Amino acid sequence: MKSFDYLRAGSTGEATGAGGAATRFIAGGTNLLDLMKLEVMTPDKLVDINRLDLKAIEETEDGGLRVGALVTNSDLAADPRVRRDYAVLSRALLSGATGQLRNMATTGGNLLQRTRCSYFYDTAMPCNKREPGSGCQAIGGYNRIHAILGASDSCIATHPSDMAVAMRALGARVEIEGTDGTRRTQDLGDFYRLPSDTPQVENALGEAELITAVILPAPVTSRQAYRKVRDRASYAFALVSVAAVVAVEEGKIARADLAFGGVAHAPWRNEAVEAILVGEAPSDALFDRAADTLLEKAKGQGSNDFKIPLLRRTLKATLRELTAEAAR
Amino acid sequence: MSETIIRKMQMDEPDERRVLDLTSQGLIGRPVTRPDGPAKVAGTASYAGEILPEGTAFGVLVRATIAKGKVASLDEASATAMPGVLGVFTGERFLRNPAQGGADAAPVQGASEVAYFGQPIGLVVGETYEDARHAAYTMGVTYEPADDASVDLDTAKSERPDAKQLDQGDLDAAMAGAAHGVDVTYTTTPDSSAPMEPHASVASWDEEGVLTLRGSYQMLRHNRIELADALGIETEKVRILAPFVGGGFGSKLGIAPEAVAASIAAKALKRPVVVAMTRQHVFEGTIRRSETSQRMRLCTDADGRLTGFGHDSKVSNLPGESFSEPLAMTTHFLYRGENRRIGHEIRRVNRTCAGSVRAPGEAPGMLATECAMDELAEVCGLDPIELRKRNIPDQQPENGTPYGTRLLAECLEEGAHRFGWADRKAPGERREGEWLIGMGVASAARTNMTAPASARVTLRADGTALVETDMTDIGTGTYAILTQIAGEMLGLPADRVEVTLGDTDFPPGSGSGGSWGASSTGAAVMLACEAVREQVCLRMGVEPSALTMRDGEAMAGNTRRTLEEVVGDEPVAATGDFEPGSTTEQRVMASYGAHFAEVAVNQTTGEVRVRRMLGVFSAGRILNERTARSQCIGGMIWGIGEALTEDLVHDPRDGHVVNRDLAEYHVPVNLDAPPIEIAFLEELEDWGSPIQSKGIGELGICGSGAAIGNAIYNACGVRIRDFPATPDKVLAGIISEEEAGRLSSGQEK
Ligand SMILES: Cc1cc2nc3c(=O)[nH]c(=O)nc-3n(C[C@H](O)[C@H](O)[C@H](O)COP(=O)(O)OP(=O)(O)OC[C@H]3O[C@@H](n4cnc5c(N)ncnc54)[C@H](O)[C@@H]3O)c2cc1C
Ligand code: SF4
């Protein structure tokens, strides 16, 4: 591990003030420390943000929830309001990692966790994300966990988070504090970047900027599901996942907010898919049409080709489950 | 102390005395808890890298980042210029590959040649672990890569050693003329042993040039010789300590690079050096289980009696390595079939060394044979249990040797009864929503092996016994069973027996490998105790046949004395020496069993979840019902890994191990392990060991994966022939079953 300076920030201003290109915030450390030990990430300075006052889950004026960046994954999953109104989020969180990790992992850290691409993790391998311009060794290699949507010739990595997929379906916004102390919010969909030719740029966070919260909009009447397909029953990242917030009114689909994990560089959402569903009576044929649109530009890399049919089937099964009563 | 008496036994004939049935302490077979358990739970049992002498420096291995070639330069100056770095070590004595189990000689040495990606090529030592690691990861290394690296199995050079081929009768003709037959090829991916404790060694030298190595090793008597040979010093100058080992599963059978590196650096720096491998090093720099390809050709007469059995296998290893996954271990004796062909081909590849991983041979071998038997049962129109029972041979089908104890049929029957096998339905017929449910069965068999072993037993003045041997307890329960054997033989409750293991200053035990530890070192302890008992008789002036020892007292006729009285101030010590002998040729000996699995296959996604498992085993005398059971459960969970999740991936271009951590190399986790029921059938094997036990440590893996594979077929009609059965593979099968109209979509309900 490369030597680094350590600073414990007492205020958000102190944290952002201490930031810089070679500085990293450390929250739960469950991702950052692993990467530092392997020297995939080699910051000169760590700014510990764990003492900051960002641990609250508060109701917002418009009936939503503001989740502090340091709320742990365990606490967020267990919050009665989350379990009642945002069940998809609670389920997504509980499907991730393990109890020990979730106790450490934070909301902000989870959003910013890096890809699990094995070539990214091995400093002997070319990787455009780790070392821009060095190449992408996952292309033509073992890419079973890689992207089928939105990938580029520079990078085919996926974002591994379950939590972020659920948040994307819920229409969450990220609250960011800039170095000038002002806070802005940004839709999670705009926050994440696709790899294009700069896979090292993963999100809209500027240098030294701090995530202070995630804001969930007011809950909607819906049935929710998070369906995660994985190689073992627990403690495995999603091969594909579907977060769904669905409502059926008078036999017609009134809402179908869908986000997909394990398939792209960021939690994936495609409004065109939702538009096909809304206003229609649920049926297998309809779900297939939605899947056709979702997968229109899907491209396998060899070892991950299976994700294309898998995502279709998982989407259909999820929609079937959530519209089942209405269809009967 | 009086001179130590030596009691030897070579197993050239069965020992029908059944000594452990004549004693009366009542410890044998009981589910005695591990004496080492509390220390392990409390964290006070110290593993190799945890006891660091004053002044220990930290070493981190440098890995090669080419598949084959030479190290042109290891830029020592760039490393030593980094903060805290004490030195860089490499050289002719560095290990290139780890030693294979029982090698008794140094493995391939010389770190300037690279034979696989990830090979250790040097060691950086620093004042702190972090200093050393940073330098090891970033120091300058240049290579002269060879242009003939061989990482692709299909184009790799191949060998077919004569000694590993068998051609008996005419299999082709038998297949052609058979009433029923299958000709199918199974493949399995490489695996890692992935023990919980990464390999670690702490080396320190004294003024007399004696090296003490605290290591994490399975077979100290061999490791000592290997280490001394690697360093070019006399065996007597090496002492290895390994009182606790956090799992080995074969990867710690032979001395590994970190031990030699630590020893070399400690000598040069004149201070203790610890080298603990990172998880990534363990995956790429110790040993792996080879991938396999196995063509199974089985054929029967109209009654389902095997007339032919063919098992042609392909495995891989580094050029020059002697080990090759012995896939046909059980094929030689498990089923009948007069026309037999066993072929074995080794592909030479520049990939991490292949070696023994728990149940070498059987683990992947029985996946293929037992799934192929399931396929055969179907074409024969027979229940898979019935097919197996019809094909249990009267004598070894290749050389006519009689069998030792063998309760295979009984295990299958008992298992069928307990598991509710009669409720099994046809593929696709049991459904719960998206989940298709199925049951599978497989035989279990594991060749019984023993190894030379010695142990010393001393009856001490305070009426307690001390057992000393360099035998290891790699988490299996050796401390417990040796306590029980000594207590049983000397009439002492468990808390009056002290067992000390893992020190080469003690008599050499068998080591832990090949499931032979209990039967071999246990025999040595039994023999030593017999000699101690005779001394007790001499002191009491009674006949051995009249002696009863129980609860710390020795009784014969009207005489009754406490052991303190018998011992007085002259402890009684004896060494037991056990040697395998010609009984291994006189009898085919193996442990047997039957595996049953019920799985649920998700029709939407191809995910497989094991719902319950049952293993019924016959493995000779069960010395400790608790530790035996836990070995079997552990083995069966390995079977889940073999069948469903474990897949060590090599990059197709340079052979490097891609998934080098426990997040991406998937061992089954708690939620993957269903309720597992274990039952033992009573049996005593007189031909293997004087304590009538047989090997149990690897038995649970043998066939358990196949029971799962067969259950997948029974659930959904998809026959997986490429293990592990990850969702992608199962889903591909489900989709073709659906497209062929054999599997309904399940939506109509
Ligand atoms: C073995 C393993 C299995 C896992 N399995 C899953 C899984 O199945 N599903 C899943 O979703 N996740 C999984 N995870 C990932 C886990 O969820 C993340 O590691 C965790 O959420 C990261 O949170 P943290 O607080 O520990 O982040 P840290 O490691 O502390 O930080 C991660 C990154 O975020 C930055 N950061 C943290 N907080 C802020 C902030 N407030 N503002 C700006 N930057 C910030 C850090 O600088 C760093 O770059 C797994 C992890 C491991 C190790
Ligand atoms: S997929 Fe992305 S992260 Fe992986 S090697 Fe390629 S560039 Fe790096």
Side-chain angles (χ1 to χ4, degrees), chain A residues 23-35 41 46-47 49-50 52 54 69-70 73 92-93 95-98 101-102 104-114 116 121 159-164 205 208-213 226 228 230 232 234-238, chain B residues 661-664:
Chain A
T23 299
R24 287 281 158 184
F25 300 128
I26 179 160
T30 59
N31 189 222
L32 181 59
L33 289 181
D34 278 359
L35 292 166
M41 290 175 78
L46 280 191
V47 176
I49 58 172
N50 284 291
L52 301 186
L54 302 171
L70 290 173
N73 288 179
L93 284 160
S95 75
T98 63
L101 284 159
R102 292 194 297 269
M104 290 302 292
T106 64
T107 304
N110 192 318
L111 286 180
L112 295 181
Q113 61 175 300
R114 315 287 310 268
R116 307 302 295 197
Y121 265 78
H159 193 276
S161 171
D162 292 301
M163 181 193 84
L205 214 54
E209 290 190 325
L210 184 72
I211 296 182
T212 45
Y226 187 73
K228 175 174 176 179
R230 48 188 144 175
R232 57 183 169 189
S234 170
Y235 196 42
F237 291 92
Chain B
D661 60 39
L662 292 171
E664 296 301 330

Side-chain angles (χ1 to χ4, degrees), chain B residues 142-208:
Chain B
T142 58
Y143 301 95
E144 287 166 25
D147 50 17
D148 62 343
S150 157
V151 291
D152 177 9
L153 281 172
D154 294 334
T155 56
K157 282 200 187 101
S158 103
E159 288 166 21
R160 292 178 164 274
D162 288 345
K164 293 179 179 173
Q165 323 295 326
L166 174 100
D167 218 337
Q168 173 182 314
D170 188 341
L171 180 62
D172 292 335
M175 286 290 289
H180 307 290
V182 293
D183 180 351
V184 286
T185 298
Y186 280 82
T187 57
T188 65
T189 57
D191 291 328
S192 174
S193 55
M196 184 149 23
E197 181 200 17
H199 297 52
S201 286
V202 187
S204 46
W205 298 78
D206 70 10
E207 274 109 61
E208 271 87 62

